[in-house]
Amino acid sequence: MPEKAHSAVAPPAGQALAQGWCALSSLHGRIETHIERALQAGHDLSVREFSVLNVLSGQHDGDGGHLQMKQLADSVVLSQSATTRLVTRLEDRGLLSRYICPSDRRGIYTNVSDDGLKLLEEARPTHDAALREALADAARRPELAPLVAAVERLTATY
């Protein structure tokens, strides 16, 4: 019997989409793990804690300048209850403080303390270096290289 020739057949659309999602998830996990290790080792700070401090450090006075807990949860991609627990831990460490919104007594705002800002600024170079290292490592993997290139194109537009 003659041997059948194998041709490269593209996976069905749904399978291709699932493979793309798996690659994106893998890239995210690799980056987050690498940054987590660096931040924990150098600053006793988790990726999520860094993200909360970073988001809150961008607050300002004026309309839309302060985030309520739901907005903060959306910004750091956590549930509201997980965000509340995280904010409580950071508050216990003296890195954040909470206060009632003056115009809506139901709203709770969170501010980064001076100690929190200091820790954030000390941790930022560690975070950024770990991010660059993780992206460089991922770029060497053929299945992740296109995603890394897309991330790098995004950063060029900011």
Side-chain angles (χ1 to χ4, degrees):
M1 254 182 128
E3 195 172 306
K4 288 185 180 179
H6 294 283
S7 61
V9 177
Q15 186 179 353
L17 187 60
Q19 287 172 341
W21 170 243
C22 285
L24 183 59
S25 181
S26 174
L27 178 63
H28 177 269
R30 288 170 179 278
I31 290 170
E32 189 168 69
T33 298
H34 191 75
I35 294 171
E36 180 80 27
R37 287 183 187 136
L39 287 173
Q40 283 291 347
H43 308 282
D44 192 28
L45 198 60
S46 74
V47 169
R48 299 287 188 194
E49 291 167 338
F50 178 90
S51 295
V52 166
L53 292 174
N54 190 51
V55 166
L56 291 176
S57 73
Q59 294 186 131
H60 57 84
D61 290 331
D63 291 341
H66 290 274
L67 299 176
Q68 291 188 3
M69 294 298 274
K70 168 128 181 51
Q71 294 168 306
L72 178 59
D74 290 345
S75 294
V76 297
V77 193
L78 287 174
S79 68
Q80 239 181 305
S81 60
T83 302
T84 299
R85 289 189 302 272
L86 182 56
V87 164
T88 298
R89 285 195 311 270
L90 290 169
E91 188 176 36
D92 290 346
R93 289 176 60 186
L95 303 174
L96 297 177
S97 62
R98 285 185 259 202
Y99 65 97
I100 302 295
C101 170
S103 61
D104 179 1
R105 306 284 305 157
R106 295 168 297 169
I108 298 174
Y109 288 148
T110 306
N111 271 339
V112 181
S113 69
D114 289 342
D115 287 346
L117 289 172
K118 181 177 181 231
L119 180 58
L120 177 63
E121 291 312 308
E122 290 170 357
R124 191 178 308 280
T126 302
H127 174 276
D128 295 349
L131 174 57
R132 283 190 299 277
E133 291 166 3
L135 286 170
D137 181 57
R140 291 189 283 277
R141 297 176 164 274
E143 72 277 14
L144 299 179
L147 294 172
V148 172
V151 169
E152 290 170 343
R153 280 193 304 276
L154 285 173
T155 60
T157 62
Y158 288 106

